[in-house]
């Protein structure tokens, strides 16, 4: 057996999952090496994002990083609303109750700032325990000896072995894929998030939202502004910027052949947002990333040999109704892994760490939240095509309308939106995303008088504003089947491509060699590494090697 | 393990920095001094040794007191522990030979280092002699044109990949006992393939940042008396090299005549196209072969 560099624990990824895992390990004196592919932690990451500290969670991020809220977060979230939209009519409900359910605190964050702050703390902690954080290093696979997973291989270093390998490498985890624990096959298991960071003049947030510096808001949007694509929009207040974006079911984007950049612009230019954005629209960053749907893919037993998966890599990303909770679950899972290993090690049985971690996920109620049994049970009925057609149809009948009217008048709709149980069984059909909100807004909404002066940048301008360090001659994505049938969906689904856009990653082409053939051509340069075409096109998909590719400044 | 890098200040020859007088002579006073750009290969190689093998790393230079700042700058690039400046009026106008004697003496005074790295050549003198001559004075093995380096402290040997006669096509691997002198080639690529290397790198960066704030506290300055050098063997008196003359490189005269044509001058443009057609025919003919 070859001699390799060895650390007790190797953590791949320095997002919330990796950071908490490493911090917990280091606190327990475990020699821990953290590998992060970005030039700095956060430079690859995109969230909405509001990070929650749940009352019921065994660990929250500030348990491990006490100064987190003051130093790494933007604003505490104190008010929450959902807006149902039909054309220019809007009906708004207060969501503060569901938001506050099981919530100790919730803060808006920007990932570059948050994760780079975490990185510094984690490096200090792990260095003391004999390891440390290395940026610009990308794990490209698992290292096996006699068929057993014992370490990782990277683009930059010799293979490294560990007694514990934590895959906290986020969505599209190459390590989880290599272990055969996750696949990248079905679009219906994913959401795609696309977002813009909007600059706000000094004091504008306080004035336009009528809040203090210690307050912040979340606004969610659903209804007919997305032309039937299932999903919704969000707006979160940061210190002096706004995060505005959409999260859609990936299968719906594919089915509708929706131009995701147009859907973002539909939200940005909706008159409802004019009161907040104002007349001068200045976009600081355009970004996108996939989001796993924990209801469907949270792995029931995310471990194999010495490998454990945490956070998005394990599919632990909870999107139920208007709630998006991924960062908090990643942080909890990371801490549980760290603890499980520390216990296993103290018993001289490090091999049991994975099993111990999985039991803790169940015992602490994490699995019940991210993969609720009631969803699996009710899904057969609520997502059945005919049931959904029936409810969609019903809402549009006189009876349906009358029922809805009563429900709104008596406050039932607002109560339902604020019911955690209701949110758990919400089906993934158009009913809750579009049909119902549109019907509500049509009959009960108020017309927005204001006009939008927002002129979003073009896709070309957006790409032009991004920072890239392209790995020339070494593309991280290769299209294996360029036929329209296999990979055509990416032309519209890729957030930096569009049918009428000559630049971008994916382009439609008609080739004629005797007969006409519709194909896609591909250029990886403008890629924002969102993961979409790993699922919707026939590609050989990897992340770029350490430090290469896109670099988000906001995230 | 003790490593010393020899470096030198040179006039900053970059556009906008360098000043020449009317006769085309360099105005030293008006041109800022920077580290010899060709020393950066030596620094990269020395840094690799510091990171991978640890120990003490010193930067040494001979020159006017102003070179102290050049050393301070170098401290951060190479994570040096200490700086040595050999500076004395008696040493002014030394040629490479006198410089080598002086530096070799200083190296002995530092205390027999294990490895000495020297630059490829300087940007002002362009001789490339100082490194090898210093090494010769010390009677150490020397490896030149090094592109990759491995130091084995246990067996006290260095193994190097080098370009044979500086030829990029021909690479050989050689070994030498330490102490030895290494001249890094511009092609030198450091290799940090262990996580521990990169972690040390980070530690050193943080440590050096603090130290470099106050680099003078880590600098030792010696004159010829400190080194016990006989003035007859150093400086101008000890320099056998005679520079016969320095010719300014004449500007290439523009021999061809140019005719300017406005883009909207149709007739003129037609003439241009006519003139170009024979060349176009030539190339398309070639492509058709
Ligand atoms: C648009 C959008 C909105 C969202 N909104 C919210 C929200 O409001 N609230 C919320 O809680 N969650 C939200 N999420 C989800 C949330 O971002 C994720 O669930 C969360 O970031 C997961 O954390 P993680 O630590 O598992 O992974 P990540 O945060 O993705 O971290 C993974 C890390 O691993 C690194 N990495 C990846 N591959 C490798 C490799 N091969 N080698 C080395 N390093 C590697 C990455 O660079 C990254 O730093 C949103 C997501 C999106 C896209
Ligand atoms: S090329 Fe693929 S991974 Fe890159 S931005 Fe487009 S869809 Fe996302």
């Amino acid at each position: 057996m070859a001699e390799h560099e060895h650390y007790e624990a190797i953590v791949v990824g320095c997002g919330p999952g990796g950071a908490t895992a490493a911090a917990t390990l280091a606190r327990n004196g475990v020699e821990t090496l953290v590998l992060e592919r970005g030039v700095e932690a956060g430079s690859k990451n995109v969230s909405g994002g509001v990070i929650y500290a749940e009352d019921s969670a065994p660990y929250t991020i500030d348990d491990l990083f006490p100064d987190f809220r003051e130093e790494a977060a933007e604003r505490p979230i104190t008010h929450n609303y959902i807006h149902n939209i039909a054309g220019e009519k809007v009906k708004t409900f207060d969501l503060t109750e569901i938001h506050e359910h099981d919530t100790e605190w919730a803060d808006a964050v920007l990932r570059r700032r948050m994760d780079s702050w975490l990185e510094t703390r984690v490096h200090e902690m792990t260095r003391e325990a004999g390891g440390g954080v290395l940026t610009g290093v990308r794990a490209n696979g698992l290292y096996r000896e006699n068929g057993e997973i014992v370490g990782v291989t990277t683009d930059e270093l010799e293979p490294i072995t560990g007694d514990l390998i934590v895959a906290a490498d986020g969505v599209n985890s190459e390590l989880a894929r290599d272990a055969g624990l996750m696949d990248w096959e079905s679009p219906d298991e994913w959401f795609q998030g696309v977002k813009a960071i909007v600059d706000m003049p000094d004091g504008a947030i306080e004035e336009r939202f009528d809040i203090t510096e210690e307050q912040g808001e979340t606004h969610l949007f659903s209804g007919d502004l997305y032309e039937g694509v299932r999903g919704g929009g969000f707006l979160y207040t940061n210190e002096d910027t706004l995060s505005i974006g959409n999260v859609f079911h990936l299968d719906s984007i594919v089915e509708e052949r929706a131009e995701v950049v147009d859907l973002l612009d539909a939200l940005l230019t909706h008159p409802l947002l004019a009161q907040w954005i104002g007349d001068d629209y200045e976009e600081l960053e355009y970004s996108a990333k996939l989001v796993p749907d924990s209801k469907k893919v949270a792995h029931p037993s995310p471990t194999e040999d010495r490998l454990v998966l945490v956070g998005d890599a394990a599919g632990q990303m909870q999107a139920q109704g208007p709630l998006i909770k991924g960062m908090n679950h990643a942080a909890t899972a990371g801490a549980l892994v760290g603890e499980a290993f520390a216990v296993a090690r103290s018993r001289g049985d490090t091999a049991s760490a994975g099993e111990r971690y999985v039991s803790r996920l169940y015992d602490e109620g994490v699995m019940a939240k991210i993969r609720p049994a009631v969803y699996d049970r009710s899904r057969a009925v609520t997502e059945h095509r005919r049931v959904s057609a029936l409810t969609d149809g019903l809402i549009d009948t006189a009876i349906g309308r009358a029922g809805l009217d009563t429900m709104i008048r008596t406050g039932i709709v607002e109560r339902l939106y604020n019911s955690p149980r209701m949110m758990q069984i919400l089906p993934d059909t158009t009913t809750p995303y579009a049909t119902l909100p549109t019907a509500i807004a049509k009959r009960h909404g108020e017309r927005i008088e204001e006009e939008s002066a927002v002129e979003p940048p073009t896709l070309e301008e957006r790409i032009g504003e991004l920072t890239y360090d392209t790995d020339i001659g070494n593309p991280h994505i290769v299209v294996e089947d360029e036929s329209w049938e296999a990979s055509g969906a990416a032309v519209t689904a890729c957030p930096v491509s569009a049918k009428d856009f000559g630049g971008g990653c994916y382009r439609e082409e008609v080739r004629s060699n005797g007969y006409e053939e519709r194909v896609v051509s591909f250029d990886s340069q403008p890629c924002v590494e969102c993961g979409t075409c790993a699922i919707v096109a026939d590609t050989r998909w990897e992340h770029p090697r350490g430090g290469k590719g896109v670099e988000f400044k906001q995230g | 393990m003790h490593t010393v890098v020899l470096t030198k200040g040179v006039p900053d020859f970059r556009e906008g920095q360098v000043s020449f007088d009317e006769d085309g002579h360099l105005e030293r006073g008006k041109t800022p001094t920077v580290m010899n750009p060709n020393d950066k290969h030596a620094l990269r190689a020395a840094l690799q040794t510091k990171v991978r093998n640890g120990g003490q790393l010193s930067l040494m230079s001979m020159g006017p007191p102003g070179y102290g700042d050049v050393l301070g700058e170098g401290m951060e690039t190479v994570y040096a522990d200490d700086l040595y400046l050999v500076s004395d009026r008696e040493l002014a106008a030394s040629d490479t030979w006198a410089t080598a004697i002086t530096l070799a003496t200083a190296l002995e005074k530092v205390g027999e280092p294990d490895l000495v790295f020297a630059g490829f050549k300087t940007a002002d003198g362009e001789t490339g002699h100082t490194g090898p001559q210093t090494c010769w004075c010390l009677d150490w093995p020397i490896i030149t044109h090094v592109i990759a380096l491995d130091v084995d402290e246990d067996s006290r040997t260095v193994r190097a990949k080098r370009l044979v006669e500086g030829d990029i096509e021909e690479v050989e691997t050689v070994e030498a006992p330490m102490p030895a002198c290494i001249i890094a080639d511009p092609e030198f690529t450091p290799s940090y393939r262990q996580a521990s290397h990169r972690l040390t790198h980070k530690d050193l960066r943080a440590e050096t940042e603090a130290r470099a704030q106050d680099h003078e506290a880590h600098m030792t300055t010696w004159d010829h008396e400190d080194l016990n050098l006989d003035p007859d063997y150093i400086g101008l008196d000890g320099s056998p090299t005679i520079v016969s003359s320095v010719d300014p490189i004449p500007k290439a005269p523009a021999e061809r005549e140019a005719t300017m044509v406005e883009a909207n001058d149709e007739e003129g443009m037609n003439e241009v196209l006519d003139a170009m057609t024979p060349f176009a025919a030539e190339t398309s003919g070639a492509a058709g072969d």
Side-chain angles (χ1 to χ4, degrees):
Chain A
M1 224 179 284
E3 266 297 313
H4 290 293
E5 202 180 0
H6 184 89
Y7 290 83
E8 280 188 283
I10 304 168
V11 177
V12 178
C14 196
T20 49
T24 313
L25 288 162
R27 264 187 172 187
N28 284 287
V30 178
E31 179 198 42
T32 306
L33 176 69
V34 183
L35 304 176
E36 163 60 50
R37 71 185 181 93
V39 280
E40 179 179 70
S43 63
K44 294 292 184 182
N45 303 346
V46 181
S47 277
V50 175
I51 184 162
Y52 292 83
E54 291 183 329
D55 287 321
S56 62
Y59 286 103
T60 58
I61 196 133
D62 57 327
D63 290 339
L64 290 147
F65 304 98
D67 301 327
F68 179 86
R69 299 192 67 194
E70 292 76 53
E71 299 195 10
E74 294 284 313
R75 257 176 208 267
I77 295 301
T78 48
H79 300 82
N80 310 268
Y81 306 93
I82 188 163
H83 308 277
N84 291 306
I85 298 175
E88 280 160 21
K89 288 177 89 181
V90 176
K91 174 71 186 169
T92 299
F93 295 103
D94 193 323
L95 281 188
T96 309
E97 202 181 316
I98 178 107
H99 176 84
E100 286 179 352
H101 167 79
D102 196 22
T103 300
E104 194 187 320
W105 55 263
D107 287 352
V109 292
L110 289 170
R111 293 298 297 277
R112 181 70 185 256
R113 175 177 172 192
M114 166 178 139
D115 294 19
S116 61
W117 183 86
L118 289 172
E119 181 201 316
T120 309
R121 304 285 95 68
V122 171
H123 183 67
E124 284 163 11
M125 295 167 86
T126 49
R127 195 79 196 104
E128 206 153 293
V133 181
L134 290 181
T135 53
V137 177
R138 167 185 164 258
N140 58 19
L142 294 163
Y143 183 70
R144 294 178 172 84
E145 269 168 10
N146 307 320
E148 192 202 347
I149 299 165
V150 296
V152 294
T153 57
T154 67
D155 294 341
E156 292 76 16
L157 307 170
E158 304 295 332
I160 310 165
T161 57
D163 302 326
L164 173 74
I165 298 119
V166 182
D169 50 345
V171 72
N172 295 98
S173 160
E174 289 173 79
L175 297 187
R177 177 178 63 174
D178 187 339
L181 293 172
M182 303 290 266
D183 67 43
W184 300 358
E185 306 291 332
S186 325
D188 72 328
E189 295 174 348
W190 311 81
F191 302 91
Q192 184 202 60
V194 175
K195 146 173 127 157
I197 302 291
V198 184
D199 195 31
M200 296 290 274
D202 261 359
I205 293 186
E206 288 74 16
E207 196 182 305
R208 294 178 198 167
F209 290 86
D210 194 19
I211 53 175
T212 68
E213 282 181 4
E214 279 73 49
Q215 296 178 316
E217 298 191 347
T218 70
H219 293 260
L220 303 172
F221 309 92
S222 60
D224 68 359
L225 77 168
Y226 300 126
E227 295 154 8
V229 187
R230 282 180 287 120
F234 62 85
L235 178 155
Y236 304 144
T237 52
N238 301 316
E239 235 165 58
D240 45 23
T241 57
L242 301 177
S243 295
I244 305 179
N246 291 322
V247 175
F248 292 110
H249 284 275
L250 188 56
D251 56 328
S252 185
I253 291 175
V254 172
E255 273 158 30
E256 305 292 332
R257 289 290 151 123
E259 290 285 8
V260 293
V261 65
D262 292 349
L263 297 175
L264 178 66
D265 291 346
L267 175 62
L268 289 169
T269 56
H270 193 276
L272 173 62
L273 277 74
Q275 56 182 314
W276 301 309
I277 300 181
D279 295 338
D280 293 319
Y281 180 79
E282 204 195 322
E283 192 172 296
L284 298 179
E285 187 170 271
Y286 174 76
S287 60
K289 178 119 3 238
L290 284 194
V291 185
D293 185 351
S294 66
K295 297 196 291 298
K296 294 171 182 164
V297 298
H299 199 287
S301 178
T303 181
E304 176 91 25
D305 300 334
R306 303 180 193 182
L307 174 75
V308 293
L309 316 179
V310 305
D312 277 12
Q316 296 162 341
M317 166 41 243
Q318 181 190 16
Q320 271 142 5
L323 297 180
I324 301 187
K325 290 183 166 180
M327 291 184 275
N328 61 314
H329 292 311
T332 302
L336 292 179
V337 160
E339 232 183 43
F341 184 80
V343 172
R345 176 180 178 249
S346 71
R347 311 251 156 103
D349 180 21
T350 54
S352 69
E355 248 170 70
R356 286 172 195 275
Y357 160 61
V358 174
S359 325
R360 291 295 300 281
L361 282 177
Y362 285 91
D363 295 348
E364 299 288 351
V366 178
M367 279 314 279
K369 283 183 206 160
I370 61 180
R371 197 153 186 173
V374 301
Y375 171 79
D376 280 336
R377 278 202 302 277
S378 62
R379 183 180 174 192
V381 180
T382 56
E383 284 180 18
H384 193 285
R385 223 173 264 285
R386 289 182 54 195
V387 173
S388 120
L390 193 67
T391 42
D392 271 6
L394 197 65
I395 290 167
D396 225 16
T397 63
I399 303 169
R401 283 195 294 270
L404 202 58
D405 289 351
T406 329
M407 281 164 72
I408 289 175
R409 251 198 318 279
T410 54
I412 292 182
V413 172
E414 191 154 284
R415 281 218 299 285
L416 284 179
Y417 265 122
N418 280 296
S419 149
R421 190 175 163 82
M422 185 63 197
M423 289 306 133
Q424 282 194 333
I425 62 170
L426 217 53
D428 279 347
T429 61
T430 43
T431 314
Y433 286 115
T435 320
L436 191 62
T438 309
I440 292 172
K442 255 190 202 154
R443 292 181 61 76
H444 297 269
E446 272 175 45
R447 188 169 298 283
I448 305 286
E449 300 299 343
E450 220 159 329
E451 274 180 25
S452 175
V454 173
E455 282 180 27
T458 62
L459 197 44
E460 186 173 9
E461 287 164 342
R462 282 171 163 148
I463 293 169
E465 282 300 313
L466 286 168
T467 306
Y468 295 97
D469 180 356
T470 307
D471 196 356
I472 295 158
N474 196 11
H476 60 286
I477 302 171
V478 176
V479 178
E480 301 223 288
D481 182 346
E482 43 180 41
S483 71
W484 186 256
E485 292 67 36
S487 301
V491 175
T492 45
C494 168
V496 288
S497 303
K499 271 191 112 163
D500 299 326
F501 176 42
C505 290
Y506 284 89
R507 268 170 257 186
E508 179 180 357
E509 237 178 60
V510 178
R511 241 176 245 162
S512 48
N513 342 322
Y515 62 99
E516 295 221 320
E517 195 188 3
R518 199 174 174 208
V519 296
V520 298
S521 66
F522 177 73
D523 170 11
S524 68
Q525 199 281 322
C527 174
V528 291
E529 299 158 34
C530 74
T532 299
C533 67
I535 319 287
V536 309
D538 190 348
T539 53
R540 196 166 70 238
W541 201 99
E542 291 185 347
H543 291 103
R545 69 189 162 96
K548 294 291 178 185
V550 73
E551 179 191 337
F552 295 122
K553 308 277 186 185
Q554 307 282 334
Chain B
M1 182 80 192
H2 187 187
T3 309
V4 179
V5 192
L6 302 178
T7 180
K8 181 175 190 293
V10 295
D12 190 346
F13 282 113
R14 281 170 309 169
E15 204 59 56
Q17 300 287 346
V18 63
S19 303
F20 293 102
D21 67 14
E22 285 152 11
D23 303 330
H25 291 147
L26 180 73
E27 293 189 290
R28 287 240 177 206
K30 287 196 187 158
T31 306
T33 303
V34 293
M35 181 179 291
N36 170 29
N38 287 319
D39 285 350
K40 67 173 187 268
H41 318 301
L43 293 178
R44 277 209 311 270
L47 177 62
Q48 182 197 281
T49 312
K50 169 80 179 167
V51 169
R52 286 175 40 176
N53 304 88
Q56 183 190 354
L57 190 144
S58 313
L59 262 181
M60 181 182 284
S61 188
M62 177 177 132
Y67 279 23
D69 291 338
V70 175
L71 286 175
E73 206 185 296
M75 180 171 231
E76 276 198 84
T77 342
V78 76
Y79 308 151
D81 297 280
D82 40 27
L83 310 172
Y84 291 91
L85 178 64
V86 183
S87 187
D88 193 329
R89 287 208 155 273
E90 294 281 349
L91 297 170
S94 294
D95 68 358
T96 59
W97 180 244
T99 305
I101 293 183
T102 312
L103 286 174
T105 314
L107 285 170
E108 273 167 351
K109 188 173 165 77
V110 161
E112 276 272 320
D114 303 284
L115 280 178
V116 169
F117 291 87
F120 182 58
K121 57 188 172 191
T122 62
D124 55 351
E126 286 274 349
T127 64
H129 293 169
T130 309
Q133 283 174 345
T134 306
C135 190
W136 187 85
C137 293
L138 290 164
D139 201 14
W140 288 1
I142 179 165
I143 313 178
T144 58
H145 290 294
V146 171
I147 57 165
L149 188 71
D150 250 322
V151 177
D152 185 345
E153 282 177 88
D154 295 337
S155 63
R156 288 195 55 78
T157 47
V158 280
R159 195 143 48 104
K161 277 201 186 125
R162 65 180 297 273
L163 304 181
V164 179
E165 313 212 348
D167 179 359
I168 192 82
E169 300 293 323
E170 207 179 324
V171 177
E172 65 176 3
T173 304
V174 296
E175 247 183 35
M178 297 201 286
C181 196
I182 306 291
I183 314 283
D185 191 86
E187 294 296 322
F188 181 88
T189 346
S191 157
Y192 302 105
R193 298 278 301 170
Q194 304 262 317
S196 61
H197 296 159
R198 293 183 184 218
L199 291 170
T200 308
H201 216 301
K202 274 181 90 162
D203 290 348
L204 291 174
R205 187 181 312 142
E207 266 174 51
T208 318
E209 251 167 43
R211 194 165 54 236
Q213 301 273 320
D214 181 22
H215 69 261
E216 273 149 19
H218 303 274
M219 186 153 75
T220 307
T221 309
W222 286 328
D223 60 16
H224 77 276
E225 281 174 8
D226 294 321
L227 295 178
N228 222 352
L229 284 167
D230 183 337
D232 286 347
Y233 292 95
I234 56 171
L236 191 56
D237 294 346
S239 297
T241 312
I242 296 162
V243 178
S244 61
S245 77
V246 178
D247 297 323
I249 300 172
K251 274 197 178 158
E255 281 172 2
R256 279 168 292 192
E257 273 177 45
T259 316
M260 303 301 283
V261 178
E262 292 288 330
N264 50 14
D265 167 4
E266 202 169 312
E267 204 175 306
M269 286 305 270
N270 279 335
E271 278 172 28
V272 175
L273 288 172
D274 287 345
M276 282 164 67
T277 315
F279 298 102
E282 232 168 67
T283 37
S284 64
D289 286 347

